[in-house]
Amino acid sequence: MVIVGFGAAGACAAIEAADAGAEVLVLDRFSGGGASAVSGGVVYAGGGTAQQRDAGVEDSVEAMYDYLRLEVGDVVSEATLRRFCAQSAGMITWLEQNGVPFEGSLCPYKTSYPSDDFYLYYSGSEAAGGFRDAAKPAPRGHRAKGPGTSGKLLYARLAQSARRKGIQVLAQSEARELLVEDGVVVGVVVSTLRDAPAWVRRAHRLFGKYSAKPGLYVPALRKALHRRAVALERRYARSVRVHARRGVVLAAGGFIANREMVREHAPLYRGGLALGTSADDGSGIRLGVEAGGSTAWLDRISAWRFVTPPSAFLGGILVDAEGQRIVDESRYGAAVGERMINRHGGRGWLLVDDALLSEARRDVRGQSQWFQWLQARYLFGRGRVSAPTLAEVARRAGIDPDGLEATAAAYRNPDPMGKPPEFVRMLATPPYSLIDVSIKPSIGFPCPMLTLGGLVVEEDTGRVRREDGTPIEGLYAAGRSAVGICSSSYVSGLSLADCVFSGRRAGRHGAIAQGFLDKNENVF
């Protein structure tokens, strides 16, 4: 089996296929990791995981299903979503068996991402208004136990497990074309630096590494480094053909780094931070389409606009340029971002009073990772205006004073928008502040974005489907190259969980399927 992409989805596909007895070759344009390695390392799981039990949390498969059905809609069938929920506790166990550590230390406050003291938290809108009444809430965000953003650790442990199982990894190798015979995918044409001079491979590896981080936070740096990597590929890479007896899995990520595709499918989503690497350019999706595959949900992009940490900010009021309320502030950040972009032009300000601001300043350091602390400092400083009255602070921020005063007057407990009572705060202590949380290019307060749609696949096997619904023999897709659990709506940890779920599915089915080639050709 040949797997294109060595992030979480590709690694899980490789491990599952190897465990089923297949010989596996993984291709990666750089050195592996992809968006998974620069993520927070959160896996959405529930139904009674060991970590939930350790934390004294009661959860059930049915409660998890009830909540996710509200979030994901009909992007997958009821049977698939139920299977995902029923298998999620076992998924955490499987990850642990492959070296990924988890812990049941429950975060006591609501946050977008916990500090290094906690590794289990409410990572979605489970406890927000409109959800807690329909589905019993439970914390299901399982963060890999490691310092900082622990996606790097999660990926590293999966990669180590894959290599221990004898899986071959051909780094610095880009899949350019699928080999198709009589409608069956039988291999890949690869452009590889395997035989390039050592200095070329070393330079290319460094360009890929630093374009991922810190290039993630500095788009100009990422662009410059990626341009240099491409120049090396054009001059020194050679083309080889790799034949696959048990099929090809496309696990090359999404397309957030491809501006043309983003403009074509989701033109409103601009000005955000591309959460991924420069290899998240839609190449896996392109390969599938060229082989006859169909796509869906390409217009779905997750844009994260969090107002936490500090958790005190959940008591504020999020308003638009007219001073009108935008959303229940306790919703997950992707829901907030979607509402701001699609209905309010990406503009938003958080109204707080002096008491709430003081509480936020007191709590923020203890609740934050380093990058959250820097963002909070920006919001407390350059992103904030203040004044003794609501009308004056509105004028200073450039929003409608009458609209803001009317919105503040309507804010009460119980909240008209359904915000849970524990988060509602009466803003009655001047001076008042408006904090600009608009979605725009900003190093101080960026808005991370990732694509959610991809190739349409059979939900039982992961095989890519044509427009008429028939499967393409020998071709699978997983992770953000495919339509999956999170393709309609994202909450933290759901993409990585889907990478594990869909990657294992593709690897397992490909490994047990009959080989499509009689020849035993392997250029490696």
Side-chain angles (χ1 to χ4, degrees), residues 21-44:
E23 182 180 355
V24 181
L25 174 67
V26 182
L27 309 172
D28 195 272
R29 184 173 181 181
F30 293 106
S31 299
S36 300
V38 298
S39 75
V42 178
V43 179
Y44 195 91

Side-chain angles (χ1 to χ4, degrees), residues 144-391:
K145 188 178 181 183
T149 51
S150 47
K152 182 178 180 180
L153 171 69
L154 181 143
Y155 163 73
R157 295 297 177 83
L158 287 174
Q160 290 168 7
S161 178
R163 289 188 168 94
R164 282 196 301 269
K165 294 175 184 292
I167 293 166
Q168 299 179 71
V169 178
L170 187 63
Q172 298 175 299
S173 300
E174 181 183 10
R176 291 291 182 88
E177 181 185 350
L178 294 176
L179 299 174
V180 183
E181 296 180 2
D182 299 324
V184 178
V185 174
V186 296
V188 188
V189 176
V190 181
S191 177
T192 179
L193 290 172
R194 185 190 66 165
D195 298 322
W199 74 265
V200 171
R201 288 181 277 116
R202 183 169 56 252
H204 185 271
R205 185 167 56 250
L206 291 175
F207 291 153
K209 175 182 178 181
Y210 291 115
S211 70
K213 274 189 177 182
L216 172 65
Y217 305 109
V218 188
L221 174 64
R222 165 174 287 182
K223 185 177 180 180
L225 294 174
H226 183 66
R227 188 165 55 243
R228 287 166 172 79
V230 170
L232 292 176
E233 292 168 351
R234 288 174 176 169
R235 182 173 180 182
Y236 294 100
R238 72 180 182 95
S239 182
V240 296
R241 296 160 69 90
V242 181
H243 290 276
R245 281 182 170 274
R246 298 179 185 272
V248 174
V249 179
L250 300 175
F255 61 91
I256 196 62
N258 189 324
R259 292 185 177 182
E260 291 183 1
M261 284 186 70
V262 172
R263 280 196 296 266
E264 177 185 357
H265 297 288
L268 293 179
Y269 287 77
R270 57 186 184 273
L273 185 73
L275 186 60
T277 72
S278 55
D280 283 292
D281 58 0
S283 57
I285 297 172
R286 174 186 60 79
L287 289 172
V289 170
E290 290 175 351
S294 60
T295 59
W297 302 92
L298 297 183
D299 60 330
R300 299 296 294 172
I301 289 184
S302 183
W304 307 348
R305 181 42 87 222
F306 292 106
V307 298
T308 61
S311 59
F313 275 165
L314 294 172
I317 308 173
L318 187 61
V319 299
D320 63 11
E322 304 302 320
Q324 302 299 311
R325 184 108 175 265
I326 292 176
V327 70
D328 166 6
E329 294 78 12
S330 69
R331 290 289 306 278
Y332 178 68
V336 175
E338 179 181 25
R339 183 71 62 87
M340 288 176 62
I341 290 172
N342 292 336
R343 301 189 188 182
H344 302 275
R347 308 292 303 281
W349 291 260
L350 185 70
L351 175 67
V352 299
D353 69 353
D354 188 62
L356 198 58
L357 186 64
S358 296
E359 182 181 343
R361 282 175 166 157
R362 183 182 68 244
D363 295 343
V364 64
R365 195 61 185 266
Q367 296 180 359
S368 299
Q369 296 283 348
W370 67 267
F371 63 93
Q372 295 169 319
W373 164 239
L374 292 178
Q375 292 173 11
R377 290 189 63 183
Y378 173 84
L379 296 179
F380 289 144
R382 292 180 58 192
R384 180 177 66 92
V385 296
S386 62
T389 67
L390 291 173

